[in-house]
Amino acid sequence: MSAPHLPKVAGIDPEVPVSTQTAAPLREIPAAPGAFIQDRLAGWVSDLTTLHELTERLASTATLDAALNELLHAGAALVGARRGLLVLERAGTTTPSTTLGLGLGPADLGHLETVERSATALGRVLDGPPEAAAARGGIATPDLLGDQDLDPRHREVATRLGYAASYALPLASEAAGRLGGAVWFYDEPGEPSEKQRHLVGLYARYATEHLARLTELERARADIATVAEELLPSRLPRIPGVRLAARHRTGPQGGGDWYDALPLPDHALGLAVGSVGGSGPSAMAAMGRLRASLRAYAVMEGEDPVAVLSDLELLLRLTEPARTATALFAYCEPATRKVVLAGAGHTPPLVLGDRRCEYVETTLSAPLGMLACWEAPSVEFSPAPGETVLLYTDGLLRRTGDAMDRAFARLHSAAASVPKADRHDPAAVTDHVLRAMLPDGLDRSDSTEDVVVLAAHFD
């Protein structure tokens, strides 16, 4: 008689023999197979987040000095160091090298400069093939004082400054070439880990590209400033009875604000300020042409400022019909303290003395190039002995960020607050007004406005 068939249960084959042995009880729960991978991924995400934050901070820097400071601090954080040194020097250029320290004073930098360059890791990074140092992940010296071959002077400086290890890295990339190098110092023997070297290497390559862009930008700004200075008077004339002072700042893109002071026949003096619309090389070239033309017209008919500006307007309309400009020309006779001026859409002068501080009431007129034929009546006034006439461009007002009416009031207040002891010095007057109007300084890099201030003090 055959054995009875066991009933079938879903998923179970009753004919498969069941083991009679009992498995040992689990004493601990084994880790999930992916826990190690998850930890690695979490570490990578954390590293990438840190690197992203540091590169974002570097990208937000707009000047070379700010970028170098950020690079030094970020590199120190990535390699776990407290102090560092960076040298920026581009091969094939006449630009002097830039040295910047982190946690190192001027005296410390002086001591480091006494060490022979080839005896330091930074020197080998700067002078050797950049790809060699980059391929090794930088040059690490984990125990400087324990190195028997260390240069004696280097050992002396390291002992004096209190660092025992260093890590140097070239600032180089395939596109930008080598711009310099950086070294970070450790207080105790040690060196960055492989992961730290990898992160700081990625950061340094990005930083090199950013530094190359900022270097080119600053070189272009310097060239623009040089051209602008060459287009303006190299020195102010000396005329009996009047003393002059001028301050000028060209925007980073190059602007069209200008000034002039030229001696005229019969011991007269011509003063002019103006602003050409637009920015960049074309505006600078137009500014140079207008200034040269005004000088010629002033010599021929300077006693009539209206005629001078009328000729200038005709020239602008015929040669550059799409361009506009503002201008103010004053014909001065210092011996009699007589001033005759005409303005074309320009801001009015300000007269400052012991008894008054007020704007000169000029007639309202359009800028040059806006009307088919420009003409406006001139204004005549006589500064008292010891008074200063202040000419300026609207860039001074716009740089304040205030509305124009408030900017005019602010300028009036700045002029009125000049100390009485300084009111007889035109240079002191201009400097005081600029400090009061622009507390951040005339050379603030984030402003695109040109600034011109011309002061004439009548004795």
Side-chain angles (χ1 to χ4, degrees):
M1 184 175 177
S2 61
H5 293 283
L6 297 175
K8 291 185 177 182
V9 181
I12 298 178
D13 187 353
E15 296 183 358
V16 177
V18 179
S19 173
T20 58
Q21 297 180 356
T22 303
L26 292 176
R27 299 186 181 276
E28 60 182 24
I29 301 176
F36 174 74
I37 297 177
Q38 290 177 0
D39 290 342
R40 291 290 300 271
L41 287 176
W44 290 341
V45 170
S46 176
D47 293 339
L48 290 176
T49 301
T50 300
L51 192 62
H52 175 73
E53 292 175 352
L54 293 176
T55 53
E56 285 291 310
R57 287 173 52 180
L58 180 66
S60 65
T61 56
T63 64
L64 190 59
D65 288 341
L68 294 176
N69 271 294
E70 180 61 32
L71 192 161
L72 262 181
H73 283 82
L78 288 173
V79 302
R82 187 173 62 89
R83 291 178 289 178
L85 175 65
L86 184 149
V87 174
L88 191 67
E89 53 180 21
R90 191 157 190 173
T93 67
T94 59
T95 305
S97 61
T98 300
T99 303
L100 186 67
L102 170 65
L104 299 170
D108 299 333
L109 295 178
H111 288 306
L112 289 169
E113 289 178 355
T114 63
V115 181
E116 186 178 352
R117 180 161 161 151
S118 60
T120 65
L122 179 60
R124 294 193 293 273
V125 160
L126 292 172
D127 298 332
E131 59 275 5
R136 298 196 303 268
I139 298 179
T141 311
D143 188 4
L144 275 168
L145 302 181
D147 185 358
Q148 300 300 323
D149 298 327
L150 188 66
D151 180 79
R153 178 57 185 166
H154 193 183
R155 184 185 304 277
E156 179 184 346
V157 170
T159 303
R160 177 188 293 270
L161 300 186
Y163 63 88
S166 67
Y167 175 70
L169 191 68
L171 299 177
S173 69
E174 184 176 350
R178 179 170 52 199
L179 300 186
V183 60
W184 290 275
F185 301 110
Y186 297 89
D187 297 339
E188 302 292 338
E191 61 181 312
S193 64
E194 182 180 352
K195 182 179 73 171
Q196 288 175 320
R197 295 189 188 199
H198 178 66
L199 290 176
V200 77
L202 293 176
Y203 180 81
R205 285 194 289 273
Y206 175 82
T208 300
E209 299 289 344
H210 185 63
L211 292 177
R213 290 190 292 269
L214 289 179
T215 301
E216 293 299 325
L217 182 60
E218 293 209 352
R219 183 178 295 113
R221 288 175 176 174
D223 292 342
I224 288 175
T226 301
V227 172
E229 292 299 325
E230 291 296 326
L231 292 173
L232 295 173
S234 58
R235 63 182 182 87
L236 296 173
R238 294 183 178 181
I239 305 294
V242 64
R243 287 177 291 149
L244 304 174
R247 299 292 184 267
H248 174 257
R249 192 263 185 187
T250 301
Q253 297 179 352
D257 286 15
W258 53 277
Y259 70 95
D260 206 350
L262 66 156
L264 297 175
D266 300 326
H267 304 289
L269 173 69
L271 299 176
V273 290
S275 178
V276 174
S279 62
S282 63
M284 295 174 63
M287 175 262 285
R289 290 191 292 269
L290 282 183
R291 174 177 171 265
S293 301
L294 186 140
R295 291 176 71 92
Y297 298 146
V299 171
M300 292 186 295
E301 46 194 7
E303 295 183 9
D304 187 356
V306 173
V308 172
L309 293 187
S310 295
D311 293 343
L312 195 65
E313 195 276 337
L314 178 60
L315 175 71
L316 183 66
R317 183 155 43 90
L318 293 177
T319 59
E320 301 184 63
R323 193 178 294 280
T324 61
T326 66
L328 186 146
F329 177 73
Y331 177 81
C332 309
E333 295 179 356
T336 60
R337 293 188 302 279
K338 173 185 173 183
V339 178
V340 182
L341 65 86
H346 204 80
T347 50
L350 185 67
V351 180
L352 168 66
D354 292 336
R355 296 185 178 182
R356 65 170 172 168
C357 179
E358 60 187 24
Y359 289 103
V360 178
E361 294 186 6
T362 57
T363 56
L364 184 64
S365 61
L368 303 176
M370 292 192 67
L371 301 179
C373 181
W374 177 91
E375 186 168 341
S378 60
V379 175
E380 180 178 332
F381 68 99
S382 296
E387 289 188 332
T388 300
V389 178
L390 203 65
L391 310 180
Y392 54 94
T393 59
D394 60 358
L396 176 64
L397 305 176
R398 298 183 187 279
R399 277 281 297 268
T400 63
D402 297 332
M404 292 304 288
D405 56 343
R406 295 186 61 185
F408 275 114
R410 186 171 176 177
L411 175 58
H412 183 276
S413 176
S417 65
V418 175
K420 288 189 176 182
D422 294 337
R423 293 191 178 188
H424 297 280
D425 182 358
V429 170
T430 55
D431 291 338
H432 178 90
V433 168
L434 286 172
R435 284 194 301 268
M437 293 287 287
L438 309 174
D440 295 335
L442 187 62
D443 295 325
R444 196 182 70 190
S445 60
D446 60 345
S447 176
T448 60
E449 296 287 347
D450 287 11
V451 175
V452 166
V453 180
L454 176 62
H457 178 79
F458 290 84
D459 296 331

